[in-house]
Amino acid sequence: MTKITERLTGHTLLISLIATPIRHSMSPTMHNESFKKLGLDYAYLAFEVGNKELKDAVQGIRALGIRGSNVSMPNKQAIIPYLDELSPVAKLVGAVNTVVNKDGKGHLVGHVTDGTGAVRALAEEGVDIKDQIITLTGCGGAGTAIAIQTALDGAKELRIFNIKDATFANGEETVKKINEHTKCKATLTDLADQAAFKQSIAESSIYIDATGVGMKPLENEKLIDDPAVIRPDLVVFDVVYSPRETKLLKFAKEHGAKKAINGLGMMIYQGAEAFKLFTGEDMPVDHVKSVLFDE
Ligand code: NAD
């Protein structure tokens, strides 16, 4: 790999991000800052692509030799039929957020790094999911990735709670896959059963909210209202990172939870895992944090 110069050259390799809406994304900054820091001759650009343009966009990745792409809403599931291969985890999750164009030759492999990103973010906070009982709300894209990854990484029990909306069937499918393919015991319960939900958290060491409740337009809401649910040995993890402190995390802190962790770490580490797949190099995470979050 050549060292990057002050400008892009004819040799520069492109990584894309295809999603809509996407202009708000921190991923281009995260990856371009990392390329610059490590002297890698890559560039990362966001493209406003929805389901309608997706097939052509994937052909474009092949035709132009784009080395890889991140994929976000609404394309995470829709891209699967256009790819040549899926990683075992992407197959289980049924979604892709990272595509690697092997050697730029057009063979596209789909991966999902949201779950590993979440597990790494928890580990960074000193939280080991192995042998733990975890209560999880949400079985959409983020919830499914977290459920599958924590089960694969050795969680003992996963108790998923979801409202009876269109994603509930997806949760049933996820529970089935986990029980069939991992040693983790998974269950799915209607979130309307509040007694079961509270009982589950009482028996869990980690509660993960992967619903997006706490983010706009639900920024004033949270799924736990009873302070008795929060204990000094309970870790509370909310996948939302905007705002940094959701109503749930504020409530957890106020009532003495062991830890209240937001989704920033998950966001960074899903990017770091993708970066590794694109370049073979470790993302300079501390540098990225200092640039993005002034930490
Ligand atoms: P999704 O639409 O696929 O799933 C949303 C889930 O939340 C579903 O299970 C749905 O039933 C549930 N839900 C929605 N409204 C609810 C309510 N009022 N009460 C209870 N449950 C409700 O969305 P997603 O892609 O899984 O994203 C969910 C959240 O995760 C978003 O806020 C997204 O920004 C965040 N996210 C964060 C990261 C990260 O890196 N930190 C990565 C991916 C997603």
Side-chain angles (χ1 to χ4, degrees), residues 73-90:
M73 296 312 286
N75 301 323
K76 284 182 162 183
Q77 286 96 20
I79 197 168
I80 288 176
Y82 308 128
L83 302 178
D84 300 300
E85 195 183 327
L86 291 182
S87 75
V89 181

PDB file of all heavy atoms in Angstrom, residues 73-90:
ATOM      1  N   MET A  73     -29.489   1.560   6.542  1.00  0.00           N
ATOM      2  CA  MET A  73     -30.908   1.543   6.223  1.00  0.00           C
ATOM      3  C   MET A  73     -31.164   2.334   4.947  1.00  0.00           C
ATOM      4  O   MET A  73     -30.556   3.367   4.765  1.00  0.00           O
ATOM      5  CB  MET A  73     -31.719   2.119   7.386  1.00  0.00           C
ATOM      6  CG  MET A  73     -31.618   1.283   8.647  1.00  0.00           C
ATOM      7  SD  MET A  73     -31.880  -0.482   8.386  1.00  0.00           S
ATOM      8  CE  MET A  73     -33.648  -0.510   8.150  1.00  0.00           C
ATOM      9  N   PRO A  74     -32.038   1.891   4.071  1.00  0.00           N
ATOM     10  CA  PRO A  74     -32.923   0.721   4.170  1.00  0.00           C
ATOM     11  C   PRO A  74     -32.380  -0.502   3.417  1.00  0.00           C
ATOM     12  O   PRO A  74     -33.173  -1.330   2.972  1.00  0.00           O
ATOM     13  CB  PRO A  74     -34.194   1.231   3.499  1.00  0.00           C
ATOM     14  CG  PRO A  74     -33.658   2.081   2.361  1.00  0.00           C
ATOM     15  CD  PRO A  74     -32.352   2.670   2.849  1.00  0.00           C
ATOM     16  N   ASN A  75     -31.073  -0.621   3.312  1.00  0.00           N
ATOM     17  CA  ASN A  75     -30.521  -1.622   2.387  1.00  0.00           C
ATOM     18  C   ASN A  75     -29.929  -2.865   3.053  1.00  0.00           C
ATOM     19  O   ASN A  75     -29.450  -3.762   2.360  1.00  0.00           O
ATOM     20  CB  ASN A  75     -29.425  -0.960   1.531  1.00  0.00           C
ATOM     21  CG  ASN A  75     -29.960   0.212   0.728  1.00  0.00           C
ATOM     22  OD1 ASN A  75     -31.086   0.173   0.252  1.00  0.00           O
ATOM     23  ND2 ASN A  75     -29.178   1.270   0.605  1.00  0.00           N
ATOM     24  N   LYS A  76     -29.952  -2.918   4.380  1.00  0.00           N
ATOM     25  CA  LYS A  76     -29.206  -3.982   5.077  1.00  0.00           C
ATOM     26  C   LYS A  76     -29.697  -5.394   4.750  1.00  0.00           C
ATOM     27  O   LYS A  76     -28.895  -6.321   4.703  1.00  0.00           O
ATOM     28  CB  LYS A  76     -29.265  -3.753   6.588  1.00  0.00           C
ATOM     29  CG  LYS A  76     -28.351  -2.643   7.069  1.00  0.00           C
ATOM     30  CD  LYS A  76     -28.442  -2.513   8.577  1.00  0.00           C
ATOM     31  CE  LYS A  76     -27.270  -1.752   9.127  1.00  0.00           C
ATOM     32  NZ  LYS A  76     -27.285  -1.671  10.595  1.00  0.00           N
ATOM     33  N   GLN A  77     -30.998  -5.545   4.575  1.00  0.00           N
ATOM     34  CA  GLN A  77     -31.521  -6.864   4.182  1.00  0.00           C
ATOM     35  C   GLN A  77     -31.648  -6.952   2.663  1.00  0.00           C
ATOM     36  O   GLN A  77     -31.352  -7.981   2.062  1.00  0.00           O
ATOM     37  CB  GLN A  77     -32.916  -7.127   4.796  1.00  0.00           C
ATOM     38  CG  GLN A  77     -32.893  -7.437   6.282  1.00  0.00           C
ATOM     39  CD  GLN A  77     -33.163  -6.199   7.135  1.00  0.00           C
ATOM     40  OE1 GLN A  77     -33.717  -5.218   6.651  1.00  0.00           O
ATOM     41  NE2 GLN A  77     -32.767  -6.223   8.398  1.00  0.00           N
ATOM     42  N   ALA A  78     -32.051  -5.841   2.068  1.00  0.00           N
ATOM     43  CA  ALA A  78     -32.354  -5.839   0.628  1.00  0.00           C
ATOM     44  C   ALA A  78     -31.137  -6.142  -0.234  1.00  0.00           C
ATOM     45  O   ALA A  78     -31.263  -6.615  -1.365  1.00  0.00           O
ATOM     46  CB  ALA A  78     -32.949  -4.479   0.237  1.00  0.00           C
ATOM     47  N   ILE A  79     -29.933  -5.912   0.289  1.00  0.00           N
ATOM     48  CA  ILE A  79     -28.723  -6.116  -0.525  1.00  0.00           C
ATOM     49  C   ILE A  79     -28.370  -7.602  -0.675  1.00  0.00           C
ATOM     50  O   ILE A  79     -27.666  -7.984  -1.614  1.00  0.00           O
ATOM     51  CB  ILE A  79     -27.533  -5.330   0.085  1.00  0.00           C
ATOM     52  CG1 ILE A  79     -26.419  -5.189  -0.976  1.00  0.00           C
ATOM     53  CG2 ILE A  79     -27.007  -5.988   1.367  1.00  0.00           C
ATOM     54  CD1 ILE A  79     -25.332  -4.205  -0.626  1.00  0.00           C
ATOM     55  N   ILE A  80     -28.887  -8.431   0.203  1.00  0.00           N
ATOM     56  CA  ILE A  80     -28.442  -9.834   0.255  1.00  0.00           C
ATOM     57  C   ILE A  80     -28.543 -10.574  -1.097  1.00  0.00           C
ATOM     58  O   ILE A  80     -27.587 -11.223  -1.512  1.00  0.00           O
ATOM     59  CB  ILE A  80     -29.143 -10.579   1.413  1.00  0.00           C
ATOM     60  CG1 ILE A  80     -28.549 -10.068   2.736  1.00  0.00           C
ATOM     61  CG2 ILE A  80     -28.982 -12.096   1.300  1.00  0.00           C
ATOM     62  CD1 ILE A  80     -29.176 -10.625   3.984  1.00  0.00           C
ATOM     63  N   PRO A  81     -29.680 -10.449  -1.814  1.00  0.00           N
ATOM     64  CA  PRO A  81     -29.758 -11.194  -3.092  1.00  0.00           C
ATOM     65  C   PRO A  81     -28.716 -10.780  -4.128  1.00  0.00           C
ATOM     66  O   PRO A  81     -28.454 -11.536  -5.058  1.00  0.00           O
ATOM     67  CB  PRO A  81     -31.172 -10.857  -3.599  1.00  0.00           C
ATOM     68  CG  PRO A  81     -31.898 -10.291  -2.450  1.00  0.00           C
ATOM     69  CD  PRO A  81     -30.915  -9.741  -1.488  1.00  0.00           C
ATOM     70  N   TYR A  82     -28.129  -9.614  -3.981  1.00  0.00           N
ATOM     71  CA  TYR A  82     -27.176  -9.120  -4.994  1.00  0.00           C
ATOM     72  C   TYR A  82     -25.731  -9.499  -4.670  1.00  0.00           C
ATOM     73  O   TYR A  82     -24.822  -9.160  -5.422  1.00  0.00           O
ATOM     74  CB  TYR A  82     -27.285  -7.592  -5.127  1.00  0.00           C
ATOM     75  CG  TYR A  82     -28.694  -7.115  -5.365  1.00  0.00           C
ATOM     76  CD1 TYR A  82     -29.258  -6.113  -4.577  1.00  0.00           C
ATOM     77  CD2 TYR A  82     -29.477  -7.679  -6.376  1.00  0.00           C
ATOM     78  CE1 TYR A  82     -30.556  -5.673  -4.786  1.00  0.00           C
ATOM     79  CE2 TYR A  82     -30.779  -7.255  -6.588  1.00  0.00           C
ATOM     80  CZ  TYR A  82     -31.312  -6.256  -5.785  1.00  0.00           C
ATOM     81  OH  TYR A  82     -32.596  -5.839  -5.992  1.00  0.00           O
ATOM     82  N   LEU A  83     -25.509 -10.160  -3.526  1.00  0.00           N
ATOM     83  CA  LEU A  83     -24.137 -10.492  -3.119  1.00  0.00           C
ATOM     84  C   LEU A  83     -23.786 -11.930  -3.524  1.00  0.00           C
ATOM     85  O   LEU A  83     -24.668 -12.748  -3.790  1.00  0.00           O
ATOM     86  CB  LEU A  83     -23.983 -10.307  -1.607  1.00  0.00           C
ATOM     87  CG  LEU A  83     -24.292  -8.890  -1.096  1.00  0.00           C
ATOM     88  CD1 LEU A  83     -24.167  -8.831   0.426  1.00  0.00           C
ATOM     89  CD2 LEU A  83     -23.391  -7.848  -1.746  1.00  0.00           C
ATOM     90  N   ASP A  84     -22.479 -12.249  -3.539  1.00  0.00           N
ATOM     91  CA  ASP A  84     -22.039 -13.581  -3.956  1.00  0.00           C
ATOM     92  C   ASP A  84     -21.901 -14.536  -2.782  1.00  0.00           C
ATOM     93  O   ASP A  84     -21.951 -15.754  -2.959  1.00  0.00           O
ATOM     94  CB  ASP A  84     -20.677 -13.463  -4.669  1.00  0.00           C
ATOM     95  CG  ASP A  84     -20.780 -12.579  -5.888  1.00  0.00           C
ATOM     96  OD1 ASP A  84     -21.567 -12.922  -6.791  1.00  0.00           O
ATOM     97  OD2 ASP A  84     -20.122 -11.525  -5.920  1.00  0.00           O
ATOM     98  N   GLU A  85     -21.700 -13.992  -1.590  1.00  0.00           N
ATOM     99  CA  GLU A  85     -21.400 -14.838  -0.434  1.00  0.00           C
ATOM    100  C   GLU A  85     -21.743 -14.055   0.833  1.00  0.00           C
ATOM    101  O   GLU A  85     -21.656 -12.824   0.843  1.00  0.00           O
ATOM    102  CB  GLU A  85     -19.886 -15.126  -0.481  1.00  0.00           C
ATOM    103  CG  GLU A  85     -19.405 -16.243   0.393  1.00  0.00           C
ATOM    104  CD  GLU A  85     -17.871 -16.377   0.309  1.00  0.00           C
ATOM    105  OE1 GLU A  85     -17.274 -16.118  -0.764  1.00  0.00           O
ATOM    106  OE2 GLU A  85     -17.274 -16.727   1.343  1.00  0.00           O
ATOM    107  N   LEU A  86     -22.100 -14.775   1.885  1.00  0.00           N
ATOM    108  CA  LEU A  86     -22.350 -14.135   3.179  1.00  0.00           C
ATOM    109  C   LEU A  86     -21.455 -14.776   4.230  1.00  0.00           C
ATOM    110  O   LEU A  86     -21.228 -16.000   4.198  1.00  0.00           O
ATOM    111  CB  LEU A  86     -23.805 -14.328   3.625  1.00  0.00           C
ATOM    112  CG  LEU A  86     -24.904 -13.604   2.860  1.00  0.00           C
ATOM    113  CD1 LEU A  86     -26.257 -13.918   3.510  1.00  0.00           C
ATOM    114  CD2 LEU A  86     -24.683 -12.103   2.843  1.00  0.00           C
ATOM    115  N   SER A  87     -20.967 -13.981   5.182  1.00  0.00           N
ATOM    116  CA  SER A  87     -20.238 -14.564   6.313  1.00  0.00           C
ATOM    117  C   SER A  87     -21.242 -15.399   7.106  1.00  0.00           C
ATOM    118  O   SER A  87     -22.458 -15.150   7.039  1.00  0.00           O
ATOM    119  CB  SER A  87     -19.654 -13.457   7.194  1.00  0.00           C
ATOM    120  OG  SER A  87     -20.693 -12.861   7.949  1.00  0.00           O
ATOM    121  N   PRO A  88     -20.764 -16.388   7.882  1.00  0.00           N
ATOM    122  CA  PRO A  88     -21.710 -17.206   8.653  1.00  0.00           C
ATOM    123  C   PRO A  88     -22.600 -16.355   9.572  1.00  0.00           C
ATOM    124  O   PRO A  88     -23.797 -16.638   9.714  1.00  0.00           O
ATOM    125  CB  PRO A  88     -20.774 -18.110   9.474  1.00  0.00           C
ATOM    126  CG  PRO A  88     -19.511 -18.189   8.677  1.00  0.00           C
ATOM    127  CD  PRO A  88     -19.369 -16.868   7.993  1.00  0.00           C
ATOM    128  N   VAL A  89     -22.051 -15.303  10.167  1.00  0.00           N
ATOM    129  CA  VAL A  89     -22.859 -14.472  11.075  1.00  0.00           C
ATOM    130  C   VAL A  89     -23.897 -13.664  10.291  1.00  0.00           C
ATOM    131  O   VAL A  89     -25.064 -13.568  10.699  1.00  0.00           O
ATOM    132  CB  VAL A  89     -21.971 -13.542  11.939  1.00  0.00           C
ATOM    133  CG1 VAL A  89     -22.826 -12.723  12.891  1.00  0.00           C
ATOM    134  CG2 VAL A  89     -20.950 -14.346  12.735  1.00  0.00           C
ATOM    135  N   ALA A  90     -23.501 -13.107   9.150  1.00  0.00           N
ATOM    136  CA  ALA A  90     -24.455 -12.346   8.326  1.00  0.00           C
ATOM    137  C   ALA A  90     -25.604 -13.259   7.892  1.00  0.00           C
ATOM    138  O   ALA A  90     -26.768 -12.840   7.841  1.00  0.00           O
ATOM    139  CB  ALA A  90     -23.752 -11.740   7.122  1.00  0.00           C
TER     140      ALA A  90
END
